[in-house]
Amino acid sequence: MLDQMEQQLAAEDPKFASNMQGSGLASLQRRRWVVGVVGALAGLGLVFVGINTTMWVGAIGFALMVAAVAFAVTPPRKGRLGVVQQDGAVQAKGRSRRKSSLIDRLDERWERRENKW
């Protein structure tokens, strides 16, 4: 229900919605940086432990460092906005036909078939 209200607000007043969404994205990015730094430090610790034990522990630590830094520097994904219809269903905006999955296409075919009858 809250998602629908948020999407309806974004459809009615996009400027206000983008201002409100900006603060959430900043905190999300800050959280990603913290997780990235903690992951990189844990990976570095595993690299140092791997020096004294086996090579595999160090390799896992290095992989953890790379994954943590990649996680920290990639921007968070934005949610898709849509239009809330009269019946409460949400229709996605700008949805490309090429990006639809197999399940989505099968659902669309099924609905078209039922609407014919």
Side-chain angles (χ1 to χ4, degrees), residues 45-107:
L46 282 176
V47 167
F48 286 138
V49 169
I51 291 172
N52 292 329
T53 58
T54 63
M55 178 185 71
W56 295 108
V57 175
I60 291 171
F62 181 75
L64 179 63
M65 283 191 326
V66 170
V69 169
F71 178 76
V73 298
T74 56
R77 295 182 187 181
K78 292 183 180 180
R80 292 186 179 174
L81 295 179
V83 178
V84 179
Q85 298 174 348
Q86 294 278 341
D87 60 355
V90 178
Q91 179 182 4
K93 279 187 175 178
R95 185 172 167 192
S96 173
R97 185 99 173 133
R98 289 176 284 167
K99 291 184 179 179
S100 65
S101 68
L102 175 66
I103 300 299
D104 291 336
R105 289 188 305 237
L106 290 174
D107 283 341

Side-chain angles (χ1 to χ4, degrees), residues 2-18:
L2 290 176
D3 287 336
Q4 289 178 352
M5 289 172 53
E6 181 181 351
Q7 291 172 355
Q8 185 177 10
L9 174 66
E12 290 175 0
D13 193 1
K15 186 176 179 182
F16 177 71
S18 67

